[in-house]
Amino acid sequence: MKKFIGIILSAALALSSISMSASALEYGSEWSGYTNDAKSAFSDVPSDHWASDNISRAVAKGWFDGYPDGSFHPNASIRRCEAMTVFVKFLGLSTNPNAQSSYADVKGDNAWAIPYIEAGKKLFPPREAFNGEVPFLPDQPITREDTVYALVIALKYNDKVPGADQSVLNMFKDQNSISALIKPYMAVAVKYGLVSGYDDGTIGAQDPLTRAEFATLLSRASTIGFGTGGGLADVAEPEVTAEPTAEPTTAPTTNPEPVNSAQISGRVVNSSNAPMQGVSVKLSDGATAVTDENGQYTVSTSRTSVTITASYEGYVDAQITMQVTPGIVNYAETIKLVTAAQGTVSGKVYDALVQNGTIEGAKISFRANGNTTSGDVVAETVSGADGSFSVSLPTGTYTAEGKKDGYSTAYVTVVSQENAAQQDITLVPVMEGTAFILTWGETPADIDSHLTGPLSDGNRFHVFYRAMNASDGGTAAANLDRDDVTSYGPETVTILNQIDGVYRYTVHDYTNRHSSDCSELSKSGAKVVVYVDGEYKNTFNVPVNQGGTIWTVFELNGNTITPINTMSYQSDPTAVGASGSTHSDAALISETTKEDK
């Protein structure tokens, strides 16, 4: 887990534009009556918890509450409506108990938060309007970048935002994950010591903030104080509307593309993997779409990280979260909807580099929704002697986290349902090198990994099922661990000695290789996960509802991975690496004819 090292907040003035309550910031005396005896005890926050003291301080000031069962849920993500409530209490903003909501999506179970949201709505970044409505997204986790935006305003540093030198962000290797709107705010926060990064060199802009992290952030802020300019008075009222618009009724629906937008294309299926038409798909930024007869949807977003929710009457809502690259089509993981019932998740844990090798004693934790890497764990189990595991869970979508000493932690989106097919987890040993792990569904049975890359003599190697190892002047260059011909995978290709030049990774539908009119590969649920030196880097999902027996996935040059995501046809496995892209790949394949399987 990344260390939360980043919060150092700077000093001085009180906010003259807000009315302070007893629980607001009172600099110089705020902790005068605080002692260890005043600490709040929570069943899930032991005294040696890293955030114990900061949680106790935040609760003592009235910014946070615990749960009725005596717990605090320190690792749970904090929802946007909850975060706004904490900010309002933290700043001591006046609230109107009779306030009417400006946001159409703040209602029902979230109506309690209306006074807080209306009091503090200037603190959160403005959002694009979709279908005439600007959403607040009360149930979505607040991200670190949204929290930084709020802090810069709340602590009166937003007068420094115009003309901010964003080059300070170059120190973070994930700086491109910061939304364009937030970058100058993040630059100000870093420059003036309001926030720093993680100890792994990242800023984690799109990561959800946990309750423990939020309590720590505010506790530290309360001991230091404000800047000298800006504040809420300098922020315009956000433009919102309380009038909801009707859900789209035609398929497919695409929202107007905002500036610097990206497209997301995905597919929704039922428990039998049949496409579902008419499913409502909604992004966390408010964009919506409806699936067509192929179960496909296409929608635009200006965010670099979104949560996608699929809903259909009689089925359990399913959510996945994905990172988005601006300016291209991003392919989402296929979403599976199941009916309400108790189900199971079962499978095996495999070693990515050992053919048919299973792992005993791996700890597997489950969290609600897809691609959820933090928050409450709803179930846990340990893999058996043959690597197998099984848990019973209410039907729906979950993220399985696999851990074992000596291996990188893996996260896999799984679905709990009755009579569920095997859902395996692959762990990558901590090692030097770049590994590409291919997995897919039950059909097609035989899908192959292909990697082409440069050799020191100017030629290129081609690693695939008939040439599973490549060498460069006697040094191992790359290898394929296994050739899976009976569905699911995994197949792992590893670059063992990377040199200058372009490496291209491609997936071939060997089962249907002789077809020139086939879309089975696009329906396979194929996924490629990239690890560098044992650290997770990227996930690529196969383009949906497109014809082709070849999926040219990406190219790697140095540390840069360039998505290609094109589909084409090729019957000859020896020629796979050269097709599906406009990029040159001279001398790709040797002239030696390779025999079929």
Side-chain angles (χ1 to χ4, degrees):
M1 179 179 178
K2 296 177 181 177
K3 293 180 182 176
F4 186 66
I5 64 171
I7 318 300
I8 307 173
L9 300 165
S10 295
L13 304 177
L15 285 175
S16 59
S17 61
I18 61 177
S19 123
M20 308 299 285
S21 73
S23 62
L25 303 183
E26 301 160 358
Y27 293 101
S29 62
E30 63 273 13
W31 299 118
S32 59
Y34 178 82
T35 67
N36 286 339
D37 293 338
K39 283 190 176 183
S40 300
F42 295 104
S43 59
D44 53 355
V45 184
S47 58
D48 60 352
H49 188 281
W50 67 270
S52 175
D53 191 59
N54 290 312
I55 290 171
S56 297
R57 287 170 176 251
V59 171
K61 291 297 292 182
W63 306 329
F64 273 88
D65 294 315
Y67 288 84
D69 63 357
S71 63
F72 185 79
H73 296 188
N75 297 323
S77 300
I78 184 164
R79 296 183 298 155
R80 286 169 55 83
C81 62
E82 295 168 333
M84 181 63 83
T85 301
V86 173
F87 267 125
V88 168
K89 292 179 178 180
F90 172 75
L91 292 173
L93 297 179
S94 297
T95 60
N96 177 5
N98 299 315
Q100 298 297 307
S101 178
S102 301
Y103 300 91
D105 60 348
V106 181
K107 57 187 177 181
D109 291 342
N110 294 313
W112 62 268
I114 291 174
Y116 299 99
I117 292 171
E118 293 303 308
K121 60 188 178 185
K122 287 184 178 183
L123 290 170
F124 281 13
R127 292 184 172 273
E128 296 280 349
F130 291 92
N131 295 329
E133 174 189 341
V134 177
F136 183 80
L137 309 176
D139 291 321
Q140 296 302 321
I142 190 171
T143 62
R144 297 185 189 282
E145 69 169 30
D146 286 352
T147 307
V148 167
Y149 179 94
L151 278 175
V152 168
I153 295 172
L155 300 177
K156 303 186 73 174
Y157 284 88
N158 47 315
D159 62 329
K160 308 294 193 301
V161 170
D165 181 8
Q166 298 182 30
S167 65
V168 70
L169 302 177
N170 293 338
M171 72 176 74
F172 303 116
K173 59 188 179 183
D174 63 340
Q175 60 170 303
N176 290 333
S177 70
I178 308 170
S179 298
L181 170 69
I182 309 297
K183 281 190 173 181
Y185 289 83
M186 190 72 77
V188 168
V190 172
K191 178 178 179 179
Y192 289 93
L194 307 184
V195 65
S196 61
Y198 287 120
D199 56 356
D200 65 353
T202 63
I203 193 66
Q206 303 302 328
D207 292 348
L209 204 68
T210 67
R211 286 169 55 83
E213 290 171 340
F214 201 12
T216 297
L217 184 155
L218 298 182
S219 175
R220 293 176 179 175
S222 70
T223 64
I224 302 175
F226 292 101
T228 58
L232 283 170
D234 289 353
V235 182
E237 285 284 339
E239 296 182 4
V240 297
T241 176
E243 294 299 322
T245 57
E247 291 289 334
T249 56
T250 58
T253 298
T254 303
N255 293 280
E257 290 196 26
V259 179
N260 297 323
S261 69
Q263 278 195 329
I264 297 174
S265 182
R267 189 165 177 259
V268 181
V269 300
N270 63 17
S271 59
S272 301
N273 292 317
M276 294 183 65
Q277 183 176 4
V279 176
S280 173
V281 177
K282 189 167 186 177
L283 270 57
S284 52
D285 63 6
T288 58
V290 173
T291 58
D292 62 16
E293 65 275 10
N294 296 310
Q296 185 175 354
Y297 63 90
T298 302
V299 66
S300 296
T301 182
S302 58
R303 305 280 294 188
T304 55
S305 176
V306 294
T307 298
I308 305 171
T309 303
S311 305
Y312 195 81
E313 186 175 358
Y315 289 76
V316 179
D317 286 2
Q319 284 188 346
I320 60 170
T321 300
M322 66 178 293
Q323 300 298 311
V324 180
T325 301
I328 66 171
V329 178
N330 295 258
Y331 294 97
E333 189 170 2
T334 296
I335 299 175
K336 181 177 288 188
L337 294 184
V338 294
T339 54
Q342 192 75 7
T344 59
V345 179
S346 60
K348 289 188 176 183
V349 182
Y350 285 97
D351 186 313
L353 303 182
V354 178
Q355 184 166 348
N356 298 320
T358 57
I359 300 175
E360 179 182 5
K363 181 181 178 181
I364 307 159
S365 304
F366 296 86
R367 296 182 176 91
N369 303 320
N371 301 325
T372 304
T373 59
S374 63
D376 290 346
V377 172
V378 298
E380 287 184 340
T381 188
V382 176
S383 60
D386 62 348
S388 62
F389 66 90
S390 181
V391 294
S392 177
L393 287 166
T395 57
T397 303
Y398 297 86
T399 299
E401 175 190 78
K403 282 188 174 183
K404 175 94 186 236
D405 288 346
Y407 293 85
S408 299
T409 300
Y411 297 94
V412 180
T413 298
V414 295
V415 177
S416 176
Q417 64 184 85
E418 295 179 300
N419 304 315
Q422 182 168 306
Q423 300 175 84
D424 298 326
I425 300 171
T426 301
L427 300 185
V428 179
V430 176
M431 53 168 280
E432 294 185 356
T434 301
F436 313 121
I437 303 173
L438 169 66
T439 57
W440 67 97
E442 185 176 2
T443 59
D446 193 355
I447 293 179
D448 291 327
S449 305
H450 290 253
L451 177 70
T452 64
L455 295 170
S456 299
D457 62 5
N459 290 309
R460 294 181 65 82
F461 68 79
H462 180 193
V463 165
F464 69 125
Y465 72 91
R466 291 300 302 165
M468 297 176 69
N469 297 280
S471 61
D472 187 9
T475 300
N479 78 281
L480 167 68
D481 70 327
R482 62 192 290 246
D483 175 28
D484 188 342
V485 300
T486 57
S487 305
Y488 302 111
E491 290 188 4
T492 302
V493 175
T494 306
I495 299 175
L496 301 171
N497 182 39
Q498 185 174 346
I499 64 174
D500 290 341
V502 176
Y503 294 78
R504 181 179 302 148
Y505 183 86
T506 309
V507 175
H508 188 213
D509 179 359
Y510 185 89
T511 298
N512 299 294
R513 64 192 182 282
H514 295 303
S515 172
S516 59
D517 183 21
C518 177
S519 59
E520 293 305 303
L521 177 57
S522 75
K523 300 175 183 177
S524 67
K527 176 194 300 185
V528 180
V529 182
V530 182
Y531 286 85
V532 177
D533 295 336
E535 180 181 350
Y536 167 82
K537 289 297 180 182
N538 296 82
T539 296
F540 294 88
N541 295 291
V542 66
V544 295
N545 294 329
Q546 295 188 26
T549 55
I550 285 184
W551 170 28
T552 305
V553 187
F554 57 80
E555 289 181 345
L556 170 68
N557 190 351
N559 295 323
T560 302
I561 297 176
T562 303
I564 298 177
N565 279 328
T566 58
M567 301 288 285
S568 57
Y569 290 94
Q570 178 58 258
S571 60
D572 180 6
T574 66
V576 163
S579 57
S581 172
T582 60
H583 297 273
S584 173
D585 206 355
L588 176 63
I589 308 297
S590 70
E591 296 302 320
T592 304
T593 301
K594 308 289 196 305
E595 64 182 85
D596 261 0
K597 296 187 183 182

